[in-house]
Amino acid sequence: MSYLNGQTGYRKDILTNRSVIGNGYVILEPDGLVKNVVPGYSDCDVTILGTPQMGATFADYLVTAHAGGKNTGIGGNGIESFLYVISGSVSVTNADKEAELTEGGYIFSPADKPFTFENKSGKDARLYVYRRRYIPLEGTSAHTVVGNINDVPYMDYEGMKNAQSKDFLPSATDLGFDMNMHILKFEPGASHGYAETHLQQHGMLFLQGKGMYLLDDQWIPLKKGDYVFMDSYCPQGCYAVGTEDYIYIYSKDCNRDVEL
């Protein structure tokens, strides 16, 4: 086991960390995160983020694929999967598609179709990977989606011009999908319109900027590189601070009734 930030030896200061396990949420800052050995990955640094051990119905990962780095199969056997390219490029393949994904590129692969990736670029690629057990709905099914989020226009979020969002998947109109991925962007000074409370869980990776985030009853500073798991009914909301847009990618389960 080694550390994501490459730190070795003693620090020059006392040990401290911004990571928190709170009431209905978990914050993981990059400092102190470890690299995990995960079967199927080669020539990759893999850090496990959200997991069922923290209460999530999914697992997600931060992956640095070095030159030649690859995975021999993600998802399948009832597990739907998603990969997003934060930087660099990788080739992805499943039973339906073959594609070269550059920065902003993504693939969603349904639960009966594992996908593979390989970094053929000769340079590191940083990836965000998500896995979740699919909940079937009679008469519907999900399908492979490949695209680049940079080609998707922003939509005003809750009617606000300085807060905008993008959807990766067509779950708003297709009940075959039981989850979606979104990009949310707040301009400096922008915020949620209200403190949200809902059944759906989130896994959130912050891609740019900084802000103050309400989690349960605490306002907590978060910035680029931080990861948050948010459990059901955890009050949440944020506002952007500083001089650049505050942007994060997040998952959300949807389109299914409560199981009793």
Side-chain angles (χ1 to χ4, degrees), residues 142-188:
H143 58 267
T144 300
V145 180
V146 174
N148 191 300
I149 201 63
N150 294 323
D151 298 328
V152 178
Y154 274 109
M155 305 174 291
D156 290 347
Y157 183 67
E158 301 286 346
M160 297 177 289
K161 297 294 184 183
N162 59 357
Q164 296 184 311
S165 65
K166 297 184 180 189
D167 296 341
F168 286 81
L169 304 177
S171 62
T173 56
D174 189 338
L175 293 179
F177 290 84
D178 70 343
M179 56 77 62
N180 206 341
M181 286 280 179
H182 311 271
I183 292 280
L184 199 52
K185 177 183 74 171
F186 294 93
E187 295 178 10

Short mmCIF file of all heavy atoms in Angstrom, two decimals, residues 142-188:
data_model
loop_
_atom_site.label_atom_id
_atom_site.label_comp_id
_atom_site.label_asym_id
_atom_site.label_seq_id
_atom_site.Cartn_x
_atom_site.Cartn_y
_atom_site.Cartn_z
N ALA A 142 -31.49 -0.67 -19.86
CA ALA A 142 -30.52 0.37 -20.16
C ALA A 142 -29.69 -0.04 -21.38
O ALA A 142 -29.67 -1.22 -21.75
CB ALA A 142 -29.62 0.63 -18.96
N HIS A 143 -29.01 0.90 -21.98
CA HIS A 143 -28.17 0.61 -23.13
C HIS A 143 -26.84 1.37 -23.01
O HIS A 143 -26.72 2.31 -22.22
CB HIS A 143 -28.87 1.00 -24.44
CG HIS A 143 -29.26 2.44 -24.51
ND1 HIS A 143 -30.51 2.90 -24.13
CD2 HIS A 143 -28.58 3.55 -24.92
CE1 HIS A 143 -30.59 4.20 -24.31
NE2 HIS A 143 -29.42 4.63 -24.77
N THR A 144 -25.87 0.95 -23.77
CA THR A 144 -24.55 1.59 -23.77
C THR A 144 -24.67 3.05 -24.23
O THR A 144 -25.38 3.36 -25.20
CB THR A 144 -23.59 0.85 -24.70
OG1 THR A 144 -23.44 -0.51 -24.24
CG2 THR A 144 -22.22 1.52 -24.73
N VAL A 145 -23.98 3.93 -23.51
CA VAL A 145 -23.92 5.34 -23.90
C VAL A 145 -22.45 5.76 -23.91
O VAL A 145 -21.74 5.57 -22.92
CB VAL A 145 -24.70 6.25 -22.93
CG1 VAL A 145 -24.61 7.71 -23.37
CG2 VAL A 145 -26.16 5.81 -22.83
N VAL A 146 -22.00 6.31 -25.02
CA VAL A 146 -20.64 6.83 -25.16
C VAL A 146 -20.74 8.28 -25.65
O VAL A 146 -21.52 8.58 -26.56
CB VAL A 146 -19.80 6.00 -26.14
CG1 VAL A 146 -18.45 6.65 -26.39
CG2 VAL A 146 -19.62 4.58 -25.62
N GLY A 147 -19.98 9.17 -25.05
CA GLY A 147 -20.02 10.56 -25.49
C GLY A 147 -18.90 11.37 -24.86
O GLY A 147 -17.98 10.82 -24.24
N ASN A 148 -19.00 12.67 -25.02
CA ASN A 148 -18.08 13.60 -24.37
C ASN A 148 -18.92 14.72 -23.79
O ASN A 148 -19.68 15.39 -24.50
CB ASN A 148 -17.05 14.15 -25.35
CG ASN A 148 -15.93 14.90 -24.64
OD1 ASN A 148 -16.16 15.89 -23.94
ND2 ASN A 148 -14.69 14.42 -24.79
N ILE A 149 -18.80 14.92 -22.48
CA ILE A 149 -19.64 15.90 -21.79
C ILE A 149 -19.36 17.32 -22.26
O ILE A 149 -20.21 18.21 -22.11
CB ILE A 149 -19.48 15.76 -20.26
CG1 ILE A 149 -20.70 16.38 -19.53
CG2 ILE A 149 -18.17 16.34 -19.80
CD1 ILE A 149 -22.00 15.69 -19.80
N ASN A 150 -18.18 17.55 -22.85
CA ASN A 150 -17.87 18.88 -23.37
C ASN A 150 -18.74 19.24 -24.58
O ASN A 150 -18.85 20.41 -24.94
CB ASN A 150 -16.39 18.98 -23.75
CG ASN A 150 -15.48 18.88 -22.54
OD1 ASN A 150 -15.80 19.39 -21.48
ND2 ASN A 150 -14.35 18.22 -22.70
N ASP A 151 -19.36 18.23 -25.20
CA ASP A 151 -20.25 18.46 -26.33
C ASP A 151 -21.69 18.69 -25.89
O ASP A 151 -22.56 18.96 -26.74
CB ASP A 151 -20.20 17.27 -27.29
CG ASP A 151 -18.82 17.05 -27.89
OD1 ASP A 151 -18.09 18.04 -28.08
OD2 ASP A 151 -18.48 15.88 -28.16
N VAL A 152 -21.96 18.55 -24.61
CA VAL A 152 -23.32 18.69 -24.08
C VAL A 152 -23.50 20.11 -23.54
O VAL A 152 -22.69 20.57 -22.73
CB VAL A 152 -23.57 17.66 -22.94
CG1 VAL A 152 -24.96 17.84 -22.34
CG2 VAL A 152 -23.38 16.24 -23.48
N PRO A 153 -24.52 20.83 -23.97
CA PRO A 153 -24.71 22.20 -23.48
C PRO A 153 -25.16 22.22 -22.03
O PRO A 153 -25.87 21.31 -21.56
CB PRO A 153 -25.79 22.76 -24.40
CG PRO A 153 -26.54 21.56 -24.88
CD PRO A 153 -25.54 20.46 -24.98
N TYR A 154 -24.78 23.27 -21.30
CA TYR A 154 -25.26 23.46 -19.94
C TYR A 154 -26.74 23.86 -19.96
O TYR A 154 -27.22 24.53 -20.89
CB TYR A 154 -24.47 24.57 -19.24
CG TYR A 154 -23.20 24.09 -18.58
CD1 TYR A 154 -21.95 24.42 -19.10
CD2 TYR A 154 -23.26 23.32 -17.42
CE1 TYR A 154 -20.78 23.99 -18.48
CE2 TYR A 154 -22.09 22.89 -16.80
CZ TYR A 154 -20.87 23.23 -17.33
OH TYR A 154 -19.71 22.80 -16.72
N MET A 155 -27.46 23.45 -18.91
CA MET A 155 -28.84 23.86 -18.68
C MET A 155 -28.89 24.68 -17.40
O MET A 155 -28.16 24.38 -16.44
CB MET A 155 -29.75 22.63 -18.52
CG MET A 155 -29.69 21.64 -19.66
SD MET A 155 -30.67 20.15 -19.30
CE MET A 155 -29.68 19.41 -17.98
N ASP A 156 -29.74 25.70 -17.38
CA ASP A 156 -29.92 26.44 -16.14
C ASP A 156 -30.43 25.51 -15.05
O ASP A 156 -31.31 24.69 -15.27
CB ASP A 156 -30.92 27.59 -16.34
CG ASP A 156 -30.37 28.70 -17.22
OD1 ASP A 156 -29.17 28.70 -17.47
OD2 ASP A 156 -31.18 29.54 -17.65
N TYR A 157 -29.85 25.62 -13.88
CA TYR A 157 -30.18 24.75 -12.76
C TYR A 157 -31.25 25.42 -11.90
O TYR A 157 -31.00 26.50 -11.35
CB TYR A 157 -28.92 24.45 -11.95
CG TYR A 157 -29.11 23.50 -10.80
CD1 TYR A 157 -29.42 22.17 -11.03
CD2 TYR A 157 -28.96 23.92 -9.48
CE1 TYR A 157 -29.59 21.28 -9.98
CE2 TYR A 157 -29.13 23.05 -8.43
CZ TYR A 157 -29.44 21.73 -8.69
OH TYR A 157 -29.61 20.85 -7.63
N GLU A 158 -32.41 24.78 -11.81
CA GLU A 158 -33.51 25.31 -11.00
C GLU A 158 -33.83 26.76 -11.38
O GLU A 158 -34.16 27.59 -10.52
CB GLU A 158 -33.17 25.22 -9.51
CG GLU A 158 -32.87 23.81 -9.00
CD GLU A 158 -34.12 22.96 -8.88
OE1 GLU A 158 -35.24 23.52 -8.93
OE2 GLU A 158 -33.99 21.73 -8.72
N GLY A 159 -33.72 27.08 -12.68
CA GLY A 159 -34.07 28.41 -13.15
C GLY A 159 -33.04 29.48 -12.88
O GLY A 159 -33.32 30.67 -13.12
N MET A 160 -31.84 29.10 -12.45
CA MET A 160 -30.80 30.08 -12.11
C MET A 160 -29.76 30.16 -13.22
O MET A 160 -29.25 29.12 -13.66
CB MET A 160 -30.14 29.71 -10.77
CG MET A 160 -31.10 29.74 -9.60
SD MET A 160 -30.35 29.23 -8.01
CE MET A 160 -30.12 27.46 -8.28
N LYS A 161 -29.42 31.36 -13.65
CA LYS A 161 -28.47 31.55 -14.75
C LYS A 161 -27.02 31.33 -14.32
O LYS A 161 -26.18 30.96 -15.14
CB LYS A 161 -28.61 32.97 -15.32
CG LYS A 161 -29.97 33.26 -15.94
CD LYS A 161 -30.22 32.43 -17.18
CE LYS A 161 -31.53 32.81 -17.86
NZ LYS A 161 -31.81 31.96 -19.03
N ASN A 162 -26.71 31.55 -13.04
CA ASN A 162 -25.32 31.42 -12.58
C ASN A 162 -25.05 30.07 -11.93
O ASN A 162 -23.98 29.86 -11.35
CB ASN A 162 -24.96 32.55 -11.64
CG ASN A 162 -25.86 32.60 -10.41
OD1 ASN A 162 -26.81 31.83 -10.27
ND2 ASN A 162 -25.56 33.54 -9.51
N ALA A 163 -26.01 29.15 -12.03
CA ALA A 163 -25.83 27.75 -11.61
C ALA A 163 -26.37 26.88 -12.74
O ALA A 163 -27.52 27.05 -13.16
CB ALA A 163 -26.55 27.47 -10.31
N GLN A 164 -25.55 25.98 -13.27
CA GLN A 164 -25.95 25.20 -14.43
C GLN A 164 -25.52 23.75 -14.30
O GLN A 164 -24.63 23.42 -13.51
CB GLN A 164 -25.34 25.82 -15.70
CG GLN A 164 -25.85 27.23 -16.00
CD GLN A 164 -25.31 27.77 -17.30
OE1 GLN A 164 -24.10 27.72 -17.55
NE2 GLN A 164 -26.19 28.29 -18.13
N SER A 165 -26.16 22.89 -15.09
CA SER A 165 -25.90 21.45 -14.97
C SER A 165 -25.86 20.79 -16.35
O SER A 165 -26.33 21.35 -17.34
CB SER A 165 -26.99 20.79 -14.11
OG SER A 165 -28.25 20.87 -14.75
N LYS A 166 -25.31 19.59 -16.37
CA LYS A 166 -25.31 18.73 -17.55
C LYS A 166 -25.65 17.31 -17.11
O LYS A 166 -25.23 16.86 -16.04
CB LYS A 166 -23.93 18.71 -18.24
CG LYS A 166 -23.45 20.03 -18.79
CD LYS A 166 -22.13 19.84 -19.53
CE LYS A 166 -21.60 21.15 -20.10
NZ LYS A 166 -20.44 20.94 -20.99
N ASP A 167 -26.37 16.58 -17.96
CA ASP A 167 -26.69 15.17 -17.72
C ASP A 167 -25.86 14.30 -18.66
O ASP A 167 -25.78 14.59 -19.86
CB ASP A 167 -28.17 14.88 -17.95
CG ASP A 167 -29.07 15.61 -16.98
OD1 ASP A 167 -28.59 16.05 -15.92
OD2 ASP A 167 -30.28 15.74 -17.28
N PHE A 168 -25.31 13.22 -18.13
CA PHE A 168 -24.56 12.28 -18.97
C PHE A 168 -25.46 11.27 -19.66
O PHE A 168 -25.15 10.81 -20.75
CB PHE A 168 -23.53 11.52 -18.11
CG PHE A 168 -22.33 12.33 -17.70
CD1 PHE A 168 -22.39 13.18 -16.61
CD2 PHE A 168 -21.13 12.22 -18.39
CE1 PHE A 168 -21.28 13.91 -16.22
CE2 PHE A 168 -20.01 12.94 -18.01
CZ PHE A 168 -20.09 13.79 -16.92
N LEU A 169 -26.56 10.89 -19.00
CA LEU A 169 -27.38 9.77 -19.45
C LEU A 169 -28.83 10.22 -19.67
O LEU A 169 -29.27 11.21 -19.06
CB LEU A 169 -27.33 8.63 -18.44
CG LEU A 169 -25.94 8.10 -18.09
CD1 LEU A 169 -26.02 7.02 -17.01
CD2 LEU A 169 -25.24 7.54 -19.33
N PRO A 170 -29.62 9.48 -20.45
CA PRO A 170 -31.00 9.89 -20.76
C PRO A 170 -32.02 9.41 -19.74
O PRO A 170 -33.16 9.11 -20.11
CB PRO A 170 -31.23 9.23 -22.13
CG PRO A 170 -30.43 7.97 -22.08
CD PRO A 170 -29.19 8.32 -21.29
N SER A 171 -31.66 9.34 -18.48
CA SER A 171 -32.58 8.78 -17.48
C SER A 171 -33.81 9.64 -17.26
O SER A 171 -34.83 9.16 -16.75
CB SER A 171 -31.85 8.57 -16.14
OG SER A 171 -31.38 9.79 -15.62
N ALA A 172 -33.76 10.93 -17.63
CA ALA A 172 -34.93 11.80 -17.46
C ALA A 172 -36.09 11.34 -18.35
O ALA A 172 -37.26 11.61 -18.03
CB ALA A 172 -34.57 13.24 -17.77
N THR A 173 -35.79 10.64 -19.44
CA THR A 173 -36.83 10.22 -20.37
C THR A 173 -36.86 8.71 -20.59
O THR A 173 -37.75 8.21 -21.29
CB THR A 173 -36.63 10.90 -21.73
OG1 THR A 173 -35.32 10.62 -22.23
CG2 THR A 173 -36.79 12.42 -21.59
N ASP A 174 -35.91 7.98 -20.02
CA ASP A 174 -35.80 6.54 -20.26
C ASP A 174 -35.75 5.81 -18.91
O ASP A 174 -34.73 5.84 -18.21
CB ASP A 174 -34.55 6.24 -21.07
CG ASP A 174 -34.47 4.80 -21.55
OD1 ASP A 174 -35.13 3.92 -20.95
OD2 ASP A 174 -33.73 4.54 -22.52
N LEU A 175 -36.84 5.12 -18.56
CA LEU A 175 -36.92 4.43 -17.27
C LEU A 175 -36.03 3.18 -17.21
O LEU A 175 -35.91 2.57 -16.15
CB LEU A 175 -38.36 4.04 -16.96
CG LEU A 175 -39.34 5.19 -16.69
CD1 LEU A 175 -40.74 4.65 -16.43
CD2 LEU A 175 -38.86 6.04 -15.53
N GLY A 176 -35.42 2.83 -18.32
CA GLY A 176 -34.47 1.72 -18.28
C GLY A 176 -33.24 2.03 -17.45
O GLY A 176 -32.57 1.12 -16.95
N PHE A 177 -32.94 3.32 -17.26
CA PHE A 177 -31.79 3.73 -16.46
C PHE A 177 -32.23 3.97 -15.02
O PHE A 177 -33.21 4.68 -14.77
CB PHE A 177 -31.18 5.01 -17.04
CG PHE A 177 -30.49 4.81 -18.36
CD1 PHE A 177 -31.23 4.81 -19.54
CD2 PHE A 177 -29.13 4.60 -18.42
CE1 PHE A 177 -30.61 4.61 -20.76
CE2 PHE A 177 -28.49 4.41 -19.64
CZ PHE A 177 -29.24 4.40 -20.81
N ASP A 178 -31.50 3.38 -14.08
CA ASP A 178 -31.81 3.55 -12.65
C ASP A 178 -30.83 4.47 -11.94
O ASP A 178 -30.82 4.56 -10.72
CB ASP A 178 -31.87 2.20 -11.94
CG ASP A 178 -30.50 1.54 -11.80
OD1 ASP A 178 -29.56 1.93 -12.52
OD2 ASP A 178 -30.38 0.61 -10.98
N MET A 179 -29.99 5.16 -12.72
CA MET A 179 -29.05 6.14 -12.17
C MET A 179 -28.65 7.12 -13.26
O MET A 179 -28.93 6.89 -14.44
CB MET A 179 -27.80 5.45 -11.60
CG MET A 179 -27.03 4.54 -12.54
SD MET A 179 -25.97 5.36 -13.79
CE MET A 179 -24.80 6.21 -12.76
N ASN A 180 -28.01 8.19 -12.85
CA ASN A 180 -27.46 9.15 -13.80
C ASN A 180 -26.20 9.75 -13.22
O ASN A 180 -25.94 9.65 -12.01
CB ASN A 180 -28.47 10.25 -14.14
CG ASN A 180 -28.23 10.87 -15.51
OD1 ASN A 180 -27.15 10.75 -16.09
ND2 ASN A 180 -29.25 11.52 -16.05
N MET A 181 -25.41 10.33 -14.09
CA MET A 181 -24.27 11.15 -13.71
C MET A 181 -24.54 12.57 -14.19
O MET A 181 -25.14 12.77 -15.26
CB MET A 181 -22.98 10.63 -14.34
CG MET A 181 -22.44 9.38 -13.70
SD MET A 181 -21.56 9.76 -12.17
CE MET A 181 -21.10 8.10 -11.68
N HIS A 182 -24.09 13.54 -13.41
CA HIS A 182 -24.33 14.94 -13.72
C HIS A 182 -23.06 15.75 -13.47
O HIS A 182 -22.22 15.38 -12.65
CB HIS A 182 -25.43 15.53 -12.84
CG HIS A 182 -26.67 14.71 -12.76
ND1 HIS A 182 -27.72 14.85 -13.64
CD2 HIS A 182 -27.04 13.73 -11.90
CE1 HIS A 182 -28.68 14.01 -13.32
NE2 HIS A 182 -28.29 13.31 -12.28
N ILE A 183 -22.94 16.87 -14.18
CA ILE A 183 -21.98 17.92 -13.86
C ILE A 183 -22.78 19.09 -13.31
O ILE A 183 -23.80 19.50 -13.90
CB ILE A 183 -21.19 18.37 -15.10
CG1 ILE A 183 -20.24 17.28 -15.59
CG2 ILE A 183 -20.42 19.67 -14.80
CD1 ILE A 183 -18.95 17.15 -14.83
N LEU A 184 -22.34 19.66 -12.20
CA LEU A 184 -22.97 20.86 -11.64
C LEU A 184 -21.92 21.95 -11.56
O LEU A 184 -20.80 21.70 -11.10
CB LEU A 184 -23.56 20.56 -10.27
CG LEU A 184 -24.62 21.51 -9.71
CD1 LEU A 184 -25.75 21.73 -10.69
CD2 LEU A 184 -25.17 20.95 -8.40
N LYS A 185 -22.28 23.15 -12.01
CA LYS A 185 -21.34 24.28 -12.05
C LYS A 185 -21.99 25.49 -11.37
O LYS A 185 -23.11 25.88 -11.71
CB LYS A 185 -20.98 24.65 -13.49
CG LYS A 185 -20.07 25.86 -13.62
CD LYS A 185 -19.79 26.21 -15.07
CE LYS A 185 -20.99 26.86 -15.75
NZ LYS A 185 -20.69 27.40 -17.09
N PHE A 186 -21.26 26.08 -10.42
CA PHE A 186 -21.70 27.31 -9.77
C PHE A 186 -20.67 28.40 -10.05
O PHE A 186 -19.48 28.22 -9.79
CB PHE A 186 -21.80 27.12 -8.25
CG PHE A 186 -22.87 26.14 -7.83
CD1 PHE A 186 -22.56 24.81 -7.62
CD2 PHE A 186 -24.17 26.56 -7.64
CE1 PHE A 186 -23.54 23.90 -7.24
CE2 PHE A 186 -25.16 25.67 -7.25
CZ PHE A 186 -24.85 24.34 -7.04
N GLU A 187 -21.13 29.53 -10.58
CA GLU A 187 -20.25 30.68 -10.70
C GLU A 187 -19.97 31.25 -9.30
O GLU A 187 -20.74 31.01 -8.36
CB GLU A 187 -20.91 31.74 -11.58
CG GLU A 187 -21.11 31.30 -13.02
CD GLU A 187 -21.79 32.35 -13.87
OE1 GLU A 187 -21.94 33.50 -13.38
OE2 GLU A 187 -22.17 32.04 -15.01
N PRO A 188 -18.85 31.98 -9.13
CA PRO A 188 -18.57 32.57 -7.80
C PRO A 188 -19.76 33.34 -7.26
O PRO A 188 -20.35 34.17 -7.94
CB PRO A 188 -17.38 33.48 -8.08
CG PRO A 188 -16.68 32.83 -9.24
CD PRO A 188 -17.78 32.27 -10.09
#
